[in-house]
Amino acid sequence: MTQRHDRLAGPRASSALLPAAALLAALGTAGALGTASAAPQRAPVATAVPGLAPAIELVQARPITGGVSVALDLAEAAAGPALTVGAPVKLDLGRGQVAYFRLPEGAGDVEALTRNLAQGTDTVMALVDRQGRILGEDDDGGEEGFASRIEIGADQAGPLFLRVGVLEQAGGQFEVLLRQAPPAEPSGAPRTLTEAAGQVPMTIGQAVTIRLRGRAEAWFRLPPGGQDLVVITRNLSAGTDTALALLDANGREITEDDDGGEEQLASRIEVPSGQRRPLYVRARLLGGTGSFDLVVLPDTSPPVPAFPASIREANAAPALAVGQSVPLTLRRGQTAFFRLPDGDIAVVTRNLQRRADTVLALLDADGNVLSEDDDGGGGLASRIEVAGGDPRPLFVRAGLLGDGGGSFDLAVEADNQGPPDFPTSISAAAAARPIEPGAGVAIRLRRGQSAFFRLPPGALVVRTEGLRDGTDTILEILDESGRVLAEDDDGGGGLASRLVVDAARKGEAFVRAGVLGGGPGAFDLVVEPARRR
């Protein structure tokens, strides 16, 4: 479930922190909906669903054709009747509007949800108290796509209010329903760390079937130390998305995992034997209701990594060969080191598994980082290019982003890129023809390279586009001596660059196109006449 914090709609989202009396002034309301103006704001329309209890009609609400009005602020909701359990209310919100409902007291455990969303509607819901303080919030935890759901316990002191809107201040049509919460599942799983601490630890190899709904959690005490363990979820019911967290006796989170399990949307956490006990695992769902099995198994991974774990070990081992691919499975916190062969090469990761997000670093013999790459291999894979002229020995360090583990292949490929077909210095650019306006020039830079071009006369726009492999470009306008006249990093949108060159300039002007940080990259350079204003 995607969590978005207090982004219901513009001013109303921030004003929810104000007392009720201040809300009226902050929102510019005067007790009645739809205050007069040259272009009055459309009031939200609420209509009863046929065959069920009538829709809510607030004391201060003004009747609207085709339905009845609902409160647009907390003060109005506080003055009106409470939302009726079991009575769906149809809402038709205009852009930027938010509806408020007072919740009934003494109704027991209830849940509020949105449903029957019109196409393109993405609701967001918050539970607030009389001062507008947010007690709970949900975006997509409902029973259908983009619907919302919040649970309200019988022990939560009122008055409480429901604030309902559409994400990013958009309008939309949907229903709001308050209904009795289903009875607690009879699984008997501990719901807190305190409860789990009073239970016997889980048994290795014995699966526990769990059914959770909404924001419910299941806690379990793990077996004592002595061997490496792995905690996994499996046999997930349709649409179930689990998340696991490993915590110490004080409730401090050590690590967590969402989708690292073998099954789709399943989770996996490794527990080293040396981790201080007692330890606890917390299982929850990312939205909705679902069932799954939780099981603790012996971790059968080899106790010693099957790869060099330091530069010293990598230096003592044979260098990787061009064309060689090494399958790697890294546990939490592990990194692998390899000595690289001579020649122009590219080191890449591929065949990523268990939601692995790799990162590669090029190191010298002293361990200094020469370059680093996260997603330059496409998707979450990585890529580093190494020129044949770079002094050896050189090493690559392969790791994973985040706290989890994962599997992938590390491969060394021949980089057959020939000499650049563009100038790589001002002197070379000065001896070449100016760059042609209009047509893009495809550029692929090695680490430390830049492309230089002499600019034609006139007012120009110089920009980069078609960035590939995570490239982040930077542009500079230079004079004949190499002095920087202007520069830009991300002015072209995203990681692209853009500069405007004035027609009134003395002498020749050049553009230098490079990659931020001096790494490798691929992009198109475009020069075009500037439009007259």
Side-chain angles (χ1 to χ4, degrees), residues 434-435 437 454-462 477 499-510 527-532:
I435 188 171
R454 183 157 55 99
L455 294 175
L460 304 169
V461 173
V462 185
I477 303 300
L499 283 171
V500 177
V501 183
D502 193 355
R505 58 181 187 266
K506 296 181 180 179
E508 297 283 3
F510 299 83
V527 175
E528 53 194 4
R531 295 180 180 178
R532 294 184 179 179

Side-chain angles (χ1 to χ4, degrees), residues 374-451:
D374 174 13
D375 299 332
L380 300 179
S382 310
R383 175 186 173 94
I384 284 183
E385 295 177 356
V386 185
D390 291 341
R392 272 32 178 204
L394 291 174
F395 301 85
V396 64
R397 182 184 66 206
L400 297 169
L401 288 183
D403 294 329
S407 301
F408 58 94
D409 292 343
L410 180 74
V412 178
E413 302 172 344
D415 186 1
N416 296 320
Q417 178 180 330
D421 56 358
F422 49 81
T424 56
S425 66
I426 285 186
S427 59
R433 297 167 58 91
I435 188 171
E436 291 286 340
V441 178
I443 296 174
R444 186 172 189 90
L445 298 178
R446 295 182 182 273
R447 182 167 52 88
Q449 268 188 339
S450 294

Side-chain angles (χ1 to χ4, degrees), residues 38 64 76 91 96 111 194 241 246 258 283 311 317 332 377 393 471 478 503 510:
I64 302 296
E76 284 187 315
L91 284 182
E111 58 183 10
T194 302
D241 186 355
L246 181 68
D258 174 11
I311 287 183
R332 178 164 57 95
T471 299
L478 314 172
F510 299 83

